[in-house]
Amino acid sequence: MPREPILSAAPPQDEDFHRDLRPQRIVDMVGQRDVIERLNIVVDAARKRGESLGHILFDGPPGLGKTTFANCIPRELGVPLVTASGPGIKAPKDLIPYLTNLEEHAVLFIDEIHRLPKAVEEYLYSAMEDFRLDIVLGDGINARTINLRLKRFTLIGATTRAGMLSAPLRDRFATREHLGFYSLSELTEIVRRSAKKLNVKLHDDAASEIARRSRATPRIANNRLRWVRDFADSQAGGIVTLDVARAALAMAGIDVLGLDKQDRGYLETIIRVFTGGPAGVEAIAHTMNLSPDTLTDEVEPYLLRSELLVRTPRGRVVTAKAYEHLQLPSPADTDDQRRLFA
Ligand code: ADP
């Protein structure tokens, strides 16, 4: 059996840490300018008309701000937020209390919405479109349908896999926004702001070094900052200079591209076991004793973006850049050497 994903099940103290650092209002968010501009327009329009906001779907790799947006939007509107998680809603009956308790114009946020069972998705269709819930109670000749009217609410869904959502569910979101990776300057700004909130004495060049090694992802940047802060408090009198940041990151096994042991392990597995690929993600996951979802959702997006990996119809293939980064001879080099010494 593959092990549980390492990164997705955050311990509770981790949740508190990220909640404390999370921007409270949209204006406090860094980056995602085009997404923010569009959201400001729909939020402003809903506020002016006194109507509920249309349903919104956010997709993108973990740690890029989906939950942060979902928390900020109701604050902008001055409406309550109710939070649910896809894997927690196993049957239609689990969804009913969330929907029936919603106040007028409130926001219901469903994280990992792609993990809702099909039967639950089907209940959502009429809830989202007509603000109505038709519940079948009992079965056989005793079955009866109860029609409940719901208050007009806004559903915000977040997913790392927009492609796994059924088309009818996807089409019911008036706004769909994809969150992309952050630029170095945006991430540096996030590191600086987090350091301020955490009272960390951080040099400017150390902030950009942490950002550079954070896989273009705010959550990772905050995690790296937390480790660097601990390292500085324990080993360097609490001041994070560039050298302190580099020493801390090296000790945690984070390399110059920001890859950690798991990222490198993934590339090395393809090279060692599958001679560089193509290899199917299931096979790689089994070899690494990880779940395929962890690889697809958490490890691959940044490797693909960094051009260390490509996805082909026949499977994953590592690139020449990956061999170079890992300082391993690429098959092309070995062919050349063989020819040279033949
Ligand atoms: P997701 O829901 O996409 O997995 P989160 O919204 O939980 O990601 O973001 C993880 C952390 O990263 C948050 O706690 C927040 O501190 C930080 N973060 C995310 N997006 C931004 C942003 N645009 N500006 C500043 N910080 C951000």
Side-chain angles (χ1 to χ4, degrees), residues 13 18 39 72 107 156:
Q13 69 271 30
H18 287 290
L39 286 177
C72 288
V107 170
I156 300 184

Side-chain angles (χ1 to χ4, degrees), residues 18 21-23 29-30 61-68 182 190 218-219 222:
H18 287 290
L21 292 181
R22 186 165 275 146
M29 294 184 73
V30 178
L64 295 189
K66 299 182 290 299
T67 309
T68 306
Y182 289 67
I190 291 174
R219 181 183 293 141
N222 286 338

Side-chain angles (χ1 to χ4, degrees), residues 316-328:
R316 275 62 169 170
V317 180
V318 295
T319 61
K321 188 175 169 190
Y323 283 96
E324 204 178 303
H325 177 63
L326 297 170
Q327 297 184 326
L328 292 171

Side-chain angles (χ1 to χ4, degrees), residues 39 42 52-58 99 102 106-108 124-131 151-157 169-177:
L39 286 177
V42 287
S52 63
L53 182 69
H55 307 302
I56 304 176
L57 180 68
F58 291 108
L99 292 174
L102 286 174
V107 170
L108 171 63
L124 265 185
Y125 300 160
S126 59
M128 290 170 80
E129 204 155 87
D130 307 321
F131 303 98
K151 305 259 171 58
R152 296 187 78 86
F153 70 99
T154 301
L155 178 67
I156 300 184
L169 180 58
R170 222 172 30 234
D171 292 346
R172 281 171 170 80
F173 287 98
T175 305
R176 282 179 261 164
E177 293 291 355

